[in-house]
Amino acid sequence: MPTPSMEDYLERIYILIEDKGYARVSDIAEALEVHPSSVTKMVQKLDKSEYLIYERYRGLVLTAKGKKVGKRLVYRHELLEDFMRLIGVEEQHIYQDVEGIEHHLSWDAIDRIGDLVQFFQEDKTRIEALKHVQKKNEED
């Protein structure tokens, strides 16, 4: 099981590879706002844990295990952002809120949130009913 820090790296590496076709240490450092030396240390840990294969000066590739975990982490992040928007959290707070909670939720909780998001998205009247409740509560 990857640590929260490992998850952050795997998620970012997965996104970089999906977007650019590759992920260099410098790209990861810039995206996570950390020093390249920190990235190198973590990439070596991820290599040892078989999430990726890292060759110094040649780059890195995600293993099947790393791709699977990376994809699931991106899904979790996007789902939580969708959930925050759905429940009416202001856009400027969403990213920070998701970053603050995503590592503290079980995958069971993530799956239940996914069910709830789907429930609301399948019938827009449910979203309107939620907004009505929120407006009523703000007035009280």
Side-chain angles (χ1 to χ4, degrees), residues 9 16 24-37 39:
Y9 277 83
L16 285 166
R24 297 181 309 215
V25 167
S26 59
D27 299 323
I28 300 163
E30 183 181 335
L32 293 174
E33 299 178 352
V34 297
H35 291 286
S37 60
V39 175

Side-chain angles (χ1 to χ4, degrees), residues 32-93:
L32 293 174
E33 299 178 352
V34 297
H35 291 286
S37 60
S38 299
V39 175
T40 300
K41 286 177 188 171
M42 180 57 78
V43 164
Q44 289 168 341
K45 268 188 192 176
L46 292 169
D47 180 85
K48 189 175 181 182
S49 298
E50 300 179 349
Y51 290 106
L52 55 80
I53 299 167
Y54 173 66
E55 292 182 31
R56 197 169 182 180
Y57 307 117
R58 298 197 63 174
L60 57 92
V61 292
L62 288 171
T63 61
K65 175 182 172 182
K67 286 179 188 173
K68 181 179 178 181
V69 172
K71 185 175 184 175
R72 185 121 166 106
L73 294 171
V74 169
Y75 163 78
R76 175 181 72 187
H77 189 98
E78 291 173 350
L79 174 67
L80 290 171
E81 284 186 353
D82 290 346
F83 175 68
M84 295 290 178
R85 282 185 193 95
L86 182 78
I87 62 172
V89 174
E90 292 183 26
E91 196 65 36
Q92 72 257 24
H93 300 295

Side-chain angles (χ1 to χ4, degrees), residues 9-23:
Y9 277 83
L10 282 170
E11 181 181 358
R12 184 56 52 198
I13 292 166
Y14 182 87
I15 291 168
L16 285 166
I17 291 173
E18 285 293 303
D19 291 349
K20 297 172 68 172
Y22 61 89

